[in-house]
Structure formats: structure tokens, C-alpha cells
Amino acid sequence: MTSSEPPPLVALRGRQRIAPFALVRVGDTAAAAEAALAGAVPMGGGVDLVDRMKFGERIERLMPLSGLALGGVEATEGGLRIGATTTYAALAESAEAARLAPAFARLVGGVANPRIRMKGTVGGSVMSQKPNFDVWPALMALGADLVFADGDGEARLPAAALAPDERRLLLAVEVPAGADARFAFDRSLRPIVSVFAGREAATGALRLAVGCAHQRPLLLRLAAGETDVAAAAAAALPPPKSDGLASSTYRRRMVGVLAARLARILPGPDAAS
Amino acid sequence: MTLTVSFTINGAPVSTAVHPETVLADVIRDEFQLVGCKVGCDQAVCGACTVLVDRIPMAACSTFAFEAEGRDIVTIEGLARPDGTLSAVQRAFLDVQGFQCGFCTGGLILLVTALLERDPDPDRATITDWLGSAVCRCTGYLAIIEAVETAARLNREVAA
Ligand SMILES: Cc1cc2nc3c(=O)[nH]c(=O)nc-3n(C[C@H](O)[C@H](O)[C@H](O)COP(=O)(O)OP(=O)(O)OC[C@H]3O[C@@H](n4cnc5c(N)ncnc54)[C@H](O)[C@@H]3O)c2cc1C
């Protein structure tokens, strides 16, 4: 380029480069489960993955899950089973979800925007384990299970027990019957803090899942009959992060405030059945 | 490594060689010269690169080209009829001046096209929810909301 030429306009386009990767194509869920264990990275909607790759994360082998029979929302004996590749939009519009988990469906129908909701999947949202994403902490508060491919079968894990280095393919999530009636959330301070609350049917204990405040969302449990939920939640919380958005002190206090509000509107243990 | 992807773009069947890491926006702009697909934030946030993939609005900046295999892609260049007649949404944006600098407009028009295909008579809450998929730094959105309502009316008049 000579000095008389104008500078290339491309600098205005904000293009991030994605490092090369190999595409892994699989024909069925069993092959996908095996490939995932062997290090292929599953891709649901790719919303989170593409973003991470543009910010420099290197992925050697990428495995799209589209085309596999991993989507769908169905009523089961235990509650509601949501396939891992179900998009937010499909879940929010599902008649089964509206019937069996209306509060959770309302949450999912209100995150991000319609364009993202038509691409992002429930499985991708959970497995990204990002602190600001809503589905995983919501599932923790609901007492939901994650269903992974495991050998020839399935393995169930409470949502809160998901390990940071989980490599198995997520097949579905399962919301227990009745849990949604004792579930509420407050995202009004997102992305500073978000709180998802669920009342345990048998014990009346309060499950509080806290998003945005730590490296990963986390779950607190307050015994039934706790009279000062705000103080108890704030005291039980591991040190929240401080960043340009808010201090650790503010986050801790707000978790307490939101938790107390949610506890007031959740039905008590008597209304559980 | 390259792979061949085949899809239709604005009605025309095409095949092209891409790398796995190529995003759809690059193919649309660089290969097919359809530069109405703008890359703004490059993070699936601003919506300027929105195209319709099987009539679903998607951020082309954050969709891999291989995801287009077998699908039907529509860009802003493909909305008007071959004789130049604008779609109802395009006309509505023009009539009420639902744009200023125009950078977000192509993506917005495709987004609103998808909205009205799903919900021909959306209420304000639905419109604002959908407009959350796009960022406009010029208008303050009121003119855009008016454009959506005008387009819905134009569609109804055509149907009547
Ligand atoms: C503009 C914008 C606004 C947003 N707002 C919100 C918001 O308000 N609330 C919110 O919660 N989120 C929000 N998000 C984030 C979005 O919801 C997530 O990026 C999306 O849900 C991720 O889903 P995905 O299917 O695209 O995941 P992918 O990108 O496909 O995958 C994410 C991770 O999960 C892994 N993975 C995917 N599927 C499986 C599986 N079946 N088994 C094992 N691992 C798997 C992948 O390997 C990857 O590590 C927003 C995103 C954008 C761009």
C-alpha cells in the first residue's frame, strides 16, 4: 500500500478472527456422546461458542448437535423433560411447559431477545456455566436434574452438582413435577446480581440460586422458618466479585434484598402439595 | 480444510467453498457482494447483520457458514420483488422515515418481516420485545415502532 491510498475501511468492521477448527459430523446421539468424551466440543446454537472463539478461545474439534434427536419438551412421570437442543423460543412456546412449568417458561421467554431465543439452546445455556446466563441457576432453584449420556444409558445429576470440567453430552434437563409452583426469580439487577428461588416441598427450605455475582452461579439453602432471609442469605454467600459494575459489598446486600422479596412471594410449605 | 456448502440466497441456489470457521456474514458480503448485511458489533448483539435463515432472523456475524447448508437465506437485497416493488415493511419504513443513518435498517426490516410473519398484528409489548434484537443509535425507536405498526396495517390492507 502506498501512502497516498486511503486506510482500509475494514478496521471499522470490528471483525474478530476465529481460529481454524475441524468439523465433527455425527449421525446419532450415541456417536455424539462418544465424540464428546473424546474431546469434540458440542455446539447447540453456537451463540456462546462463537462469541468465545472470537475472543480467542481455541477449539480443535467442533461438533454441531443440530439434526440429532435431542430437542423437544415432554411431560414425564416425574415432571417436565426438556431436550438439550430445545431453543429458548421452542421452550417458551411449548404447551407442555406452559402447563407444567409456567414460571420457568415465562423466564425463558423473556431472556435476551427473540433473535437469540430462536437460536440459543437450553443445553448450551446450562453447559456454558456462565455466571450471567439464567437457565442454569433457575434449574438449581427448581431442584431440577441434568441428564447426561453415560455409557449406553443416562446419568442424572442435580443441577447444582454440575462440575466445571464436565465433558459428557447433556441430553436433557428435568424439572420435577410441582416445583414450578414454588419458584420465582428476580432479574431486575442483572448483570449485577440475579436471584432464583425455590421452596422445597417436603421441608419448606428455601433454595436460592445466585447468578452474576461469582465466577459461576451458586446455590444456597436456607432452612424453613428463617425469619430474616435477607441477613441469612447475605451471610451465607461466599464473597461476591467486585468489578466495574458493582462492589462485592453491594452485591452481597442486594442478594439479601432480592432473596427476601422472593421469599415473601413464594408459597409456604403448606401450599406445596 | 474447506467444505462445500449449498443453500439458496434470495431465491437463487448456490454452492460455495468455505472454511469451517467462516461466518455467514463474510460469505454473504465477500462472496456474494450482498453488502446490505452490515457487521456492527460482531457479537450477535446489535442486529445489523440480521438475515432470514428459513424465515428465522439470525445474526450472520455469529452464524457459521456451514449452518446454512440446505437452508433458504434472505438478505435485505432479496425482499423487494424483481420489478423493484418494495415489501410492505420496506414501504412502511420509508413512509414513516423509520431510519436515519440506515446502518441498522436492513437488519431491522428483516427482523420485522419475520415478526409480522409470526404475528400479523403485534401489540406494543411484542414489538418492543422484538426490537430488543436490534440496536439503533439514531431514531430513539419511536419511528421504528410506528413503521412496524404501519407495515402491519399495509399487510392487512393488501389481504383485505
Ligand atoms: C445479545 C445477547 C443477549 C443475551 N442475553 C441473555 C440473557 O438475558 N439471559 C441469558 O441467560 N443468556 C443471555 N444470552 C446468552 C445466550 O442465552 C447463550 O449464549 C445461549 O443460550 C447459549 O446457548 P447455545 O445453544 O447457543 O450454546 P452454545 O454456544 O452452542 O454452547 C455453549 C456451551 O455449552 C456446550 N454445550 C452446548 N450444548 C451441549 C450439550 N448438549 N452437552 C454438552 N455441552 C453442550 C458447548 O460446548 C459450549 O461450551 C445472551 C446472548 C446474547 C448474544
Side-chain angles (χ1 to χ4, degrees), chain B residues 5-92:
Chain B
V5 212
S6 305
F7 51 92
T8 58
I9 189 152
N10 298 333
V14 293
S15 281
T16 183
V18 298
H19 293 283
E21 66 273 16
T22 307
V23 294
L24 189 56
D26 285 345
V27 175
I28 289 173
R29 290 182 56 91
D30 301 343
E31 174 95 12
F32 298 108
Q33 309 293 315
L34 297 167
V35 294
C37 170
K38 304 291 183 198
V39 178
C41 69
D42 206 13
Q43 291 180 47
V45 174
C46 78
C49 67
T50 299
V51 296
L52 300 183
V53 179
D54 288 347
R55 310 309 288 180
I56 294 172
M58 278 191 202
C61 77
S62 297
T63 300
F64 286 117
F66 69 73
E67 296 179 70
E69 177 63 39
R71 324 265 308 250
D72 175 44
I73 314 286
V74 179
T75 71
I76 189 64
E77 290 87 348
L79 266 197
R81 285 205 219 121
D83 67 2
T85 309
L86 298 180
S87 74
V89 180
Q90 286 174 308
R91 254 186 304 142

Side-chain angles (χ1 to χ4, degrees), chain A residues 212-226:
Chain A
C212 306
H214 304 85
Q215 282 297 98
R216 306 165 77 221
L218 53 83
L219 184 68
L220 307 174
R221 189 170 177 279
L222 303 187
E226 175 59 65

Side-chain angles (χ1 to χ4, degrees), chain A residues 132-187:
Chain A
N132 296 4
F133 294 2
D134 298 293
V135 173
W136 185 31
L139 292 173
M140 290 186 199
L142 283 160
D145 281 340
L146 307 181
V147 186
F148 288 96
D150 196 59
D152 288 338
E154 297 184 346
R156 274 174 176 65
L157 202 68
L162 176 61
D165 58 353
E166 179 60 74
R167 294 276 286 274
R168 288 175 295 182
L169 183 71
L170 183 72
L171 299 176
V173 304
E174 285 185 352
V175 179
D180 189 88
R182 303 179 303 272
F183 168 72
F185 56 89
D186 194 325
R187 300 169 72 241

Side-chain angles (χ1 to χ4, degrees), chain A:
Chain A
M1 192 167 94
T2 62
S3 57
S4 60
E5 283 179 69
L9 279 173
V10 82
L12 291 176
R13 284 165 58 189
R15 290 285 173 87
Q16 312 276 348
R17 285 196 50 79
I18 296 174
F21 58 81
L23 205 53
V24 178
R25 304 276 200 186
V26 287
D28 58 34
T29 306
E34 211 171 296
L37 285 180
V41 176
M43 178 178 121
V47 180
D48 179 51
L49 269 174
V50 174
D51 205 41
R52 279 158 42 192
M53 292 164 95
K54 283 185 176 174
F55 279 87
E57 184 171 325
R58 280 183 171 269
I59 284 171
E60 301 284 321
R61 295 187 303 132
L62 187 75
M63 174 172 62
L65 300 177
S66 58
L68 302 184
L70 273 178
V73 184
E74 54 173 345
T76 62
E77 246 171 59
L80 188 71
R81 182 176 167 115
I82 303 159
T85 59
T86 309
T87 61
Y88 286 112
L91 176 57
E93 288 161 15
S94 145
E96 289 300 293
R99 191 166 65 82
L100 295 169
F104 182 52
R106 199 167 57 249
L107 163 73
V108 167
V111 302
N113 59 60
R115 179 169 49 71
I116 297 295
R117 295 201 292 269
M118 286 188 247
K119 194 141 196 284
T121 66
V122 169
S125 191
V126 172
M127 295 306 287
S128 66
Q129 306 196 28
K130 288 269 178 75
N132 296 4
F133 294 2
D134 298 293
V135 173
W136 185 31
L139 292 173
M140 290 186 199
L142 283 160
D145 281 340
L146 307 181
V147 186
F148 288 96
D150 196 59
D152 288 338
E154 297 184 346
R156 274 174 176 65
L157 202 68
L162 176 61
D165 58 353
E166 179 60 74
R167 294 276 286 274
R168 288 175 295 182
L169 183 71
L170 183 72
L171 299 176
V173 304
E174 285 185 352
V175 179
D180 189 88
R182 303 179 303 272
F183 168 72
F185 56 89
D186 194 325
R187 300 169 72 241
S188 60
L189 287 180
R190 194 180 176 277
I192 293 173
V193 292
S194 51
V195 179
F196 305 81
R199 180 96 62 196
E200 285 179 11
T203 64
L206 192 62
R207 277 189 296 253
L208 292 172
V210 177
C212 306
H214 304 85
Q215 282 297 98
R216 306 165 77 221
L218 53 83
L219 184 68
L220 307 174
R221 189 170 177 279
L222 303 187
E226 175 59 65
T227 47
D228 192 345
V229 168
L237 197 68
K241 65 185 173 191
S242 281
D243 58 19
L245 292 173
S247 67
S248 179
T249 312
Y250 180 74
R251 281 194 162 96
R252 186 186 294 282
R253 198 155 77 79
M254 287 304 118
V255 167
V257 169
L258 299 188
R261 275 189 206 158
L262 291 172
R264 270 197 298 276
I265 61 169
L266 280 181
D270 298 341
S273 51

